[in-house]
Amino acid sequence: MSTTALYNDQQGGAEAAVEAGQETTPTSSSTGAAFGLFSTDFKKNEDLKEMLESNKESLKLEAMKRIVQLISKGKNASDLFPAVVKNVASKNIELKKLVYVYLVRYAEEQQDLALLSISTFQRALKDPNQFIRASALRVLSSVRVPIIVPIMMLAIKEAASDLSPYVRKTSAHAIQKLYSLDPDQKEQLIEVIEKLLKDKSTLVAGSVVMAFEEVCPDRIDLIHKNYRKLCNLLVDVEEWGQVVIINMLTRYARTQFTSPWKEDGVFDENSEKAFYDSDSEEKQGQREIKPYIMDPDHRLLLRNTKPLLQSRNTAVVMAVAQLYWHLAPKHEVSIVTKSLVRLLRSHREVQYVVLQNIATMSIQRKGMFEPYMKSFYVRSTDATHIKTLKLEILTNLANEANISTILREFQTYVKSQDKAFAAATIQAIGRCATNISEVTDTCLNGLVLLLSNRDETVVAESVVVIKKLLQTQPSQHSDIIKHMAKLFDNITVPMARASILWLMGEYCERVPKIAPDVLRKMAKTFTSEEDIVKLQTVNLAAKLYLTNSKQTKLLTQYILNLGKYDQNYDIRDRTRFIRQLIVPNDKSGALNKYARRILLASKPAPVLESAFKDRDRFQLGTLSHSLNIKTTGYQELSDWPAVAPDPSVRNVEVIEPVQEWAPSVGKAKKSKSDDKFYSDDEEEEEGSGSGSEDNSSSSSSSSEESGSESEEESSEESDKTSSDSGKSSSGSEASSSESESERKKKKRTKKATQSDSDENGNGPVGKTSSSSAESSSDSESDSEEDSDSDSPAPQKKNVAKTKPKVEVKSKKEVSLLDLDDFSSAPPSAPKSSVFSSRLLSDLEGLSLSNVSPAMQVTTSSFGPMKTYELLHHMTGKGLSARYHFPRQPCLYQPSMVAVQVILTNSSDHSLEEIHIGDRSPASLNIHCFNTVERLEPGASVSVSMGIDFSDSTQAANFQLCTKEDQFSVSIQPAVGELLMPNTMKEPDFCSEQKKLMGMNETSATITMATANTSKQDISKQVLSVANVGVVSSDQNNLQRFAGHTVSSRALVLVTLELRESSTALLTINTEKTVMASMLLRDLKQALSQA
């Protein structure tokens, strides 16, 4: 929330006060106080403290405005923290907003004082005003003290389910702060990120992707289901969110799609005109169609980012440009050219970054920027670093057609008063001469003319460049070498003098008369020369000694003697080495024979390359690319996959055939409207498998999707339920909730605007176990679309007290009815009190399989019955408890794991009212067993309960209570108990396994125990670890097992391939990578031990 917004409804009192204080003398207390704000007086803030401690809200508000104004001007107001923090509990909304703005700024510096107000911040998280809730969370996350990490985590989870998208956005910001404070919270934060990624609000999208990039950028699997939604929302997200999302999607696309840069690859797409139309691009689009066809999701990303090239934000334009550069086919990249050139009219900081990226792009694809060459001409007002970059780009664009124009520009640049720029121009001329052979002589002659320039820098740079050019054609340019020798006395720059000496030595045979004379002059001034010149003088002496020893023998000995006693050890070492190499003596041995071959060997000509040649290894637009080094946090773009991963992972809905069950319903369905806000043929964001409309959004922006009277009513009902469940953790009783749902069901039936799945989804709801962190209920929502719902629905569902809630989820997380427990029931199921006759008629003919028609949920064929101790009789004062997992579908809720608990009274007196008390965390979803009213001494009783572990092995902590005592107990499941078995045929298994490759595959080679060699033994060991089903296989060396996670119903496939010498390859394919690694460890241990 910007500070400007805070002041809009005021009358500028603070500004007037400050201006009055600056422009007038302190004649009154108020003006004196204002004047004192900007003085260096020790008591400059005393008046503000007095105002903050007064009883008048208006004075406090005025003081806070002035304090925030101080902060906005960069003044230090930290000494006012104690006075400000006292007002954190004020009932005045405007005052509270300003106090939170101050606290966000100084909470980290004044942690001890901020901690005193933690309880106030926690209360503010329940404030009716969304801005107060968001500000409280922002302040809470700014207090960087490890002791409040649990409080921050609870607040973030609660805010992630808030009705206000602004608060949800703030929770995404807080995730990053909490992660930097305590990285150990990563797994819990990922769960919140996964939930927020499903949010449809454009306000939240950018912030949650930023949190994703900070916390878990490698978890690409979280993006699959949200990819199309992010692409479609992109144009409406705020600008900096667009930058983050585009960069993330660039990385994602490089891992999921095949390369569009193949030589024979052109799209079989509708030839739509480029964003910036040009005839040349249209001609390119009319090429012959070849086999390669782009993935529709790949095309969706390119199409939805193209309009952002018109963005007023330069970072967005740059992000789209780099996306096209890294992802688009080569013939489509040119559409970003005009947009990049447009950015050159911006500030010099923007120009610098854009020109760096253009310099990299122009090396590989000159044709992109050649039509706009004049945009890179240097202006007199440009800074030196801008001029140098433009020079680099002009050099890259140079070819036979435009070199004459570019050289005329360079001639002007050489005369520049900016010496560094003039030197860079001479280097650019040298590069042009090297790259374009037709102008080499012209450039060389021009550089020779520059040798007579008055400016030493120009002359020196010319010498260095000429030296490099002469190495390419030395035989033709002996006159230039002679000319440079004549200018030697007038050149004082060490590098230039060294370059001339090197040329003399390298081509001494071509100038036999001049080279000895240059050596004679150098002998006179040897002691006063720079080190680099001395080294080249020694080299020149050695080469002349080998080629013209009669004239230069004495000179060489003299120079070697001078170098022998030089102060620089490099020169002393070089001198001794040269003396032993060229002067024959007894000690030199065989090395002396090769002196000529060593010193006068032909040397390859230097290659004049662009400084940006190797920068394409970094992603364009990144800090690493700008600095040309890998910076902290840089994530490299992966190479294109040879084979594209399964595209179905991005599907978010399945369209069920209506005719299968519509006739038995007895009423016509309302077809879904085709006029969606984002209408794309390739994908549908709405998760309605049977054509029902998604109008159950309970967010603060529910008006976006409510288009009919019944939809508005549904939203109101959902909001009401959300607020009720947020205030009370007990929920509603079964009877009242059931009757209420029946009334609403009849009302919707009369209006006949909703699909049948609404009625089926409104099953009876029993006593809930929601907490303050779970602030919404999904029992009365008209649509059961959990994966893409806009409402902040809790991840754990409400649990029925006595009756199971009937739901079915389709393959791609679209909820219709959950009938997992009744998959084997015949169509004419026996009527019970749970099902109405209408519901049973709806169920007839409905395919009940949850994953695919080839898969069915079954019970385990092997039950090892491992029993664990829950409570020891000594600890429980006579009450002991043991538990086991019966591996049966939970009757209370499909997402729960069934647990059987055996309670035993080992005391000498009866125990009364045995029940489950408080649980930790409070949001833990447990179906408690009915209270055991009385348990006699020595008696035992078996009770059933259900626990939703959310596919995690984290322990479920709760209290086992009697009438007098409470005992803290914990149930921690093995990872194999979180699964339910599937039966499927081998071809279906292989088909599903192919969809779960890459990041979704975990494997290890294990050494099998001698007792585990037969199929029966192996099956026994695997089933003892994991509750999976056996898949029949024709191959003797392969055994396959299939199951799915209880909570999220993610498929888990286990393959064991027997190999030679008692080894085997164990492979697990599932989206739940953490579970896969834990299951792999347990199976490896079970199979490798006898």
Side-chain angles (χ1 to χ4, degrees):
M1 182 173 63
S2 65
T3 53
T4 307
L6 298 176
Y7 313 140
N8 282 346
D9 55 345
Q10 304 299 326
Q11 297 179 355
E15 290 84 345
V18 174
E19 289 173 6
Q22 289 176 320
E23 296 173 4
T24 64
T25 56
T27 56
S28 65
S29 60
S30 62
T31 54
F35 184 79
L37 288 176
F38 304 101
S39 68
T40 55
D41 186 12
F42 178 75
K43 296 184 178 182
K44 59 183 178 180
N45 290 329
E46 288 300 317
D47 62 324
L48 289 173
K49 291 180 182 177
E50 292 175 6
M51 292 171 71
L52 288 170
E53 292 171 359
S54 71
N55 294 326
K56 293 183 178 180
E57 294 287 339
S58 59
L59 285 176
K60 291 181 179 180
L61 191 60
E62 183 68 24
M64 282 310 305
K65 285 184 178 180
R66 286 163 55 184
I67 291 170
V68 172
Q69 189 177 36
L70 279 178
I71 296 172
S72 68
K73 292 184 177 180
K75 306 290 184 181
N76 183 11
S78 58
D79 55 333
L80 292 167
F81 195 93
V84 173
V85 81
K86 290 178 184 177
N87 295 286
V88 73
S90 171
K91 294 182 179 179
N92 186 308
I93 297 295
E94 293 303 317
L95 178 59
K96 188 178 283 191
K97 288 179 183 177
L98 292 172
V99 169
Y100 280 139
V101 169
Y102 177 90
L103 292 178
V104 168
R105 170 66 180 80
Y106 289 110
E108 191 169 347
E109 297 177 17
Q110 305 276 350
Q111 292 178 351
D112 293 338
L113 288 172
L115 281 173
L116 298 176
S117 304
I118 288 295
S119 59
T120 308
F121 302 145
Q122 286 180 284
R123 283 197 302 273
L125 290 171
K126 303 288 175 60
D127 195 277
N129 189 308
Q130 60 174 342
F131 296 112
I132 298 299
R133 297 200 300 275
S135 299
L137 180 59
R138 195 179 294 118
V139 175
L140 198 60
S141 59
S142 299
V143 183
R144 301 180 60 77
V145 180
I147 196 171
I148 66 164
V149 165
I151 298 175
M152 289 170 62
M153 177 60 75
L154 192 63
I156 288 172
K157 286 183 176 178
E158 188 171 342
S161 300
D162 198 277
L163 297 180
S164 166
Y166 181 74
V167 179
R168 301 200 296 274
K169 174 189 177 78
T170 307
S171 73
H173 292 163
I175 288 173
Q176 303 167 58
K177 295 182 183 179
L178 179 54
Y179 180 69
S180 64
L181 178 62
D182 186 6
D184 294 337
Q185 304 293 323
K186 182 174 180 178
E187 288 303 319
Q188 293 188 60
L189 291 175
I190 289 176
E191 292 178 8
V192 182
I193 290 173
E194 185 174 8
K195 181 177 182 179
L196 287 173
L197 278 171
K198 297 174 182 177
D199 201 308
K200 285 184 180 177
S201 172
T202 54
L203 199 63
V204 181
S207 301
V208 68
V209 171
M210 188 68 226
F212 170 83
E213 290 286 71
E214 287 289 329
V215 178
C216 52
D218 54 333
R219 288 290 304 275
I220 295 293
D221 56 298
L222 298 180
I223 304 299
H224 291 324
K225 299 291 183 186
N226 304 291
Y227 170 81
R228 295 172 184 168
K229 181 188 69 181
L230 288 173
C231 288
N232 285 325
L233 291 181
L234 193 56
V235 73
D236 294 321
V237 176
E238 45 91 20
E239 292 171 340
W240 295 110
Q242 289 174 343
V243 175
V244 175
I245 294 174
I246 290 171
N247 287 327
M248 184 275 293
L249 291 179
T250 303
R251 287 194 306 109
Y252 177 87
R254 285 292 286 259
T255 64
Q256 301 298 312
F257 308 127
T258 53
S259 172
W261 303 338
K262 297 177 181 178
E263 293 300 326
D264 58 344
V266 178
F267 294 97
D268 185 8
E269 291 268 331
N270 295 329
S271 56
E272 59 182 85
K273 286 190 177 181
F275 189 68
Y276 298 102
D277 296 325
S278 70
D279 295 335
S280 60
E281 289 163 10
E282 287 183 13
K283 290 177 183 175
Q284 288 176 348
Q286 295 170 359
R287 297 179 187 175
E288 182 185 354
I289 294 175
K290 295 188 179 179
Y292 175 76
I293 295 184
M294 178 181 271
D295 189 298
D297 287 329
H298 193 169
R299 171 56 64 195
L300 173 70
L301 176 59
L302 295 175
R303 185 170 61 248
N304 285 9
T305 51
K306 185 161 47 170
L308 296 179
L309 288 170
Q310 287 184 319
S311 174
R312 63 182 179 179
N313 189 307
T314 53
V316 175
V317 177
M318 193 64 246
V320 177
Q322 66 84 24
L323 180 138
Y324 265 79
W325 177 259
H326 293 298
L327 301 181
K330 292 183 179 179
H331 66 276
E332 292 185 24
V333 178
S334 56
I335 69 168
V336 306
T337 308
K338 276 188 177 180
S339 299
L340 290 176
V341 171
R342 172 172 61 86
L343 298 184
L344 298 181
R345 302 170 188 164
S346 188
H347 304 293
R348 63 172 59 178
E349 295 82 7
V350 174
Q351 288 184 47
Y352 180 68
V353 175
V354 174
L355 286 170
Q356 279 190 319
N357 288 279
I358 291 177
T360 301
M361 298 165 86
S362 61
I363 292 174
Q364 294 186 23
R365 301 180 190 172
K366 294 183 180 181
M368 281 178 61
F369 296 97
E370 196 175 337
Y372 307 97
M373 192 172 66
K374 290 186 179 180
S375 300
F376 304 109
Y377 285 175
V378 173
R379 301 179 183 182
S380 58
T381 54
D382 288 337
T384 302
H385 59 281
I386 301 295
K387 292 178 180 176
T388 308
L389 281 170
K390 286 186 173 181
L391 202 61
E392 180 75 30
I393 295 169
L394 287 173
T395 309
N396 291 342
L397 298 179
N399 55 35
E400 293 83 351
N402 59 26
I403 186 62
S404 57
T405 307
I406 290 177
L407 286 179
R408 279 199 300 272
E409 278 289 311
F410 287 175
Q411 286 176 0
T412 308
Y413 300 163
V414 169
K415 301 172 186 176
S416 171
Q417 296 300 314
D418 187 341
K419 303 308 175 189
F421 174 55
T425 303
I426 294 170
Q427 292 179 6
I429 293 172
R431 275 182 55 200
C432 290
T434 307
N435 297 336
I436 305 169
S437 57
E438 289 83 356
V439 295
T440 303
D441 294 340
T442 307
C443 293
L444 204 49
N445 293 333
L447 291 172
V448 171
L449 292 175
L450 291 175
L451 294 176
S452 57
N453 196 292
R454 295 178 182 179
D455 190 350
E456 285 187 0
T457 309
V458 174
V459 174
E461 200 65 44
S462 300
V463 169
V464 175
V465 173
I466 288 172
K467 170 215 160 187
K468 293 177 180 178
L469 291 176
L470 288 180
Q471 284 184 258
T472 59
Q473 299 170 320
S475 59
Q476 302 174 18
H477 303 293
S478 57
D479 292 339
I480 295 176
I481 299 174
K482 292 176 184 177
H483 182 66
M484 293 172 69
K486 293 176 183 177
L487 296 172
F488 184 77
D489 293 339
N490 299 325
I491 296 174
T492 57
V493 178
M495 180 56 77
R497 291 175 69 84
S499 296
I500 293 176
L501 290 174
W502 185 90
L503 279 172
M504 293 293 158
E506 188 67 18
Y507 307 114
C508 56
E509 295 176 347
R510 303 187 186 282
V511 283
K513 295 181 181 179
I514 296 176
D517 193 52
V518 171
L519 183 63
R520 178 183 60 79
K521 292 179 181 179
M522 287 306 303
K524 290 182 180 180
T525 60
F526 184 85
T527 53
S528 60
E529 296 287 351
E530 292 289 333
D531 292 344
I532 189 172
V533 180
K534 289 179 180 178
L535 287 172
Q536 291 303 329
T537 303
V538 172
N539 284 346
L540 175 62
K543 291 174 181 178
L544 288 175
Y545 181 86
L546 293 173
T547 57
N548 190 3
S549 59
K550 291 181 181 179
Q551 283 184 293
T552 57
K553 183 175 182 180
L554 293 175
L555 271 175
T556 302
Q557 290 177 352
Y558 175 70
I559 288 172
L560 291 176
N561 287 333
L562 288 175
K564 183 178 179 180
Y565 301 104
D566 196 89
Q567 292 181 350
N568 188 296
Y569 59 84
D570 279 340
I571 296 170
R572 295 197 301 271
D573 289 348
R574 177 71 64 88
T575 303
R576 293 191 183 99
F577 166 70
I578 292 293
R579 186 189 296 276
Q580 293 297 322
L581 182 62
I582 64 173
V583 181
N585 54 41
D586 297 336
K587 296 180 181 179
S588 62
L591 193 60
N592 181 254
K593 301 176 184 178
Y594 303 103
R596 179 181 288 269
R597 293 176 61 183
I598 293 172
L599 290 174
L600 297 176
S602 59
K603 300 171 181 63
V607 180
L608 301 177
E609 292 182 338
S610 168
F612 289 81
K613 185 175 181 61
D614 60 340
R615 290 205 187 191
D616 56 355
R617 60 200 167 112
F618 298 114
Q619 184 177 351
L620 293 186
T622 59
L623 181 62
S624 297
H625 175 270
S626 184
L627 300 177
N628 200 22
I629 56 172
K630 187 174 181 179
T631 56
T632 305
Y634 174 75
Q635 295 175 19
E636 294 183 357
L637 281 179
S638 60
D639 293 329
W640 295 100
V643 179
D646 181 19
S648 65
V649 295
R650 290 183 290 278
N651 294 342
V652 291
E653 82 286 339
V654 153
I655 300 177
E656 296 283 349
V658 176
Q659 54 269 33
E660 278 189 23
W661 55 297
S664 64
V665 172
K667 71 173 183 180
K669 281 192 179 182
K670 180 179 177 180
S671 61
K672 183 172 178 178
S673 172
D674 293 328
D675 299 330
K676 296 199 301 181
F677 187 73
Y678 300 105
S679 56
D680 285 306
D681 296 335
E682 291 89 346
E683 75 292 324
E684 290 191 15
E685 284 301 317
E686 305 295 329
S688 174
S690 62
S692 63
E693 295 181 7
D694 176 18
N695 47 36
S696 61
S697 171
S698 58
S699 69
S700 65
S701 60
S702 62
S703 60
E704 292 175 3
E705 297 185 16
S706 61
S708 66
E709 183 181 350
S710 61
E711 290 173 358
E712 292 169 2
E713 180 187 359
S714 169
S715 184
E716 290 168 8
E717 290 167 1
S718 185
D719 286 351
K720 181 178 182 297
T721 309
S722 301
S723 61
D724 290 345
S725 61
K727 294 175 185 175
S728 168
S729 62
S730 62
S732 59
E733 292 301 324
S735 59
S736 63
S737 179
E738 182 176 330
S739 61
E740 183 181 356
S741 64
E742 287 295 320
R743 286 197 304 272
K744 289 170 184 173
K745 190 187 301 181
K746 291 174 183 176
K747 183 180 288 186
R748 281 193 296 273
T749 305
K750 289 177 183 178
K751 297 194 177 184
T753 55
Q754 301 297 320
S755 69
D756 296 329
S757 60
D758 298 336
E759 295 176 3
N760 298 337
N762 272 315
V765 179
K767 183 175 180 180
T768 61
S769 57
S770 63
S771 69
S772 59
E774 300 179 80
S775 59
S776 66
S777 167
D778 61 346
S779 63
E780 296 176 359
S781 173
D782 290 341
S783 170
E784 293 294 328
E785 180 185 349
D786 293 330
S787 61
D788 281 347
S789 176
D790 211 2
S791 64
Q795 292 177 345
K796 299 180 178 67
K797 299 179 179 176
N798 296 338
V799 185
K801 176 77 178 176
T802 57
K803 300 177 183 180
K805 179 176 178 179
V806 183
E807 283 185 339
V808 157
K809 292 183 180 178
S810 68
K811 177 180 178 181
K812 292 162 186 172
E813 299 186 13
V814 179
S815 302
L816 291 176
L817 295 169
D818 245 342
L819 297 173
D820 303 39
D821 304 335
F822 310 101
S823 60
S824 58
S828 57
K831 295 183 180 181
S832 67
S833 59
V834 179
F835 304 113
S836 67
S837 59
R838 181 178 184 87
L839 179 59
L840 287 172
S841 67
D842 287 351
L843 301 183
E844 288 187 38
L846 179 64
S847 175
L848 303 181
S849 59
N850 193 10
V851 183
S852 80
M855 303 177 211
Q856 294 179 358
V857 181
T858 63
T859 56
S860 177
S861 59
F862 177 81
M865 289 296 292
K866 293 181 183 177
T867 307
Y868 309 91
E869 185 175 70
L870 183 65
L871 180 66
H872 193 269
H873 67 89
M874 296 294 291
T875 309
K877 298 181 181 180
L879 175 64
S880 65
R882 300 184 67 81
Y883 69 93
H884 67 270
F885 298 96
R887 295 191 172 183
Q888 298 291 333
C890 184
L891 296 175
Y892 312 113
Q893 193 168 321
S895 61
M896 288 185 172
V897 176
V899 182
Q900 200 79 15
V901 182
I902 301 172
L903 303 171
T904 305
N905 185 358
S906 304
S907 66
D908 55 358
H909 60 278
S910 60
L911 299 173
E912 297 181 350
E913 297 182 13
I914 303 173
H915 64 281
I916 290 178
D918 296 336
R919 63 208 70 183
S920 175
S923 58
L924 182 64
N925 197 358
I926 295 181
H927 178 84
C928 310
F929 56 81
N930 293 330
T931 302
V932 179
E933 299 296 342
R934 187 179 185 87
L935 188 62
E936 299 296 334
S940 296
V941 63
S942 179
V943 293
S944 298
M945 57 188 297
I947 304 176
D948 189 346
F949 289 102
S950 297
D951 294 342
S952 169
T953 56
Q954 187 174 359
N957 302 308
F958 56 92
Q959 288 187 334
L960 191 60
C961 308
T962 63
K963 189 174 182 180
E964 295 85 8
D965 299 295
Q966 296 179 345
F967 311 104
S968 295
V969 295
S970 175
I971 294 180
Q972 182 164 15
V975 67
E977 304 298 343
L978 301 177
L979 305 176
M980 285 298 290
N982 277 11
T983 57
M984 62 173 75
K985 297 178 181 178
E986 190 173 16
D988 300 312
F989 183 96
C990 298
S991 174
E992 294 295 333
Q993 190 178 37
K994 289 178 183 177
K995 300 176 184 178
L996 294 169
M997 304 296 281
M999 294 174 61
N1000 298 324
E1001 183 174 275
T1002 308
S1003 61
T1005 303
I1006 61 175
T1007 303
M1008 302 287 287
T1010 53
N1012 299 329
T1013 53
S1014 67
K1015 277 196 171 187
Q1016 291 183 348
D1017 293 332
I1018 292 173
S1019 297
K1020 183 178 179 181
Q1021 291 294 346
V1022 172
L1023 295 176
S1024 69
V1025 171
N1027 185 18
V1028 291
V1030 181
V1031 178
S1032 58
S1033 174
D1034 299 333
Q1035 305 176 49
N1036 293 327
N1037 66 328
L1038 273 180
Q1039 283 195 263
R1040 296 186 169 99
F1041 305 88
H1044 64 268
T1045 60
V1046 174
S1047 184
S1048 65
R1049 309 196 61 76
L1051 204 59
V1052 179
L1053 306 178
V1054 180
T1055 308
L1056 186 71
E1057 181 182 355
L1058 298 176
R1059 296 183 174 177
E1060 298 177 356
S1061 63
S1062 300
T1063 61
L1065 178 65
L1066 181 61
T1067 306
I1068 299 176
N1069 299 82
T1070 180
E1071 294 176 358
K1072 302 286 185 179
T1073 52
V1074 177
M1075 289 186 69
S1077 59
M1078 298 172 71
L1079 184 59
L1080 186 73
R1081 179 194 62 200
D1082 293 350
L1083 288 173
K1084 186 175 180 181
Q1085 183 179 358
L1087 292 169
S1088 59
Q1089 65 186 14

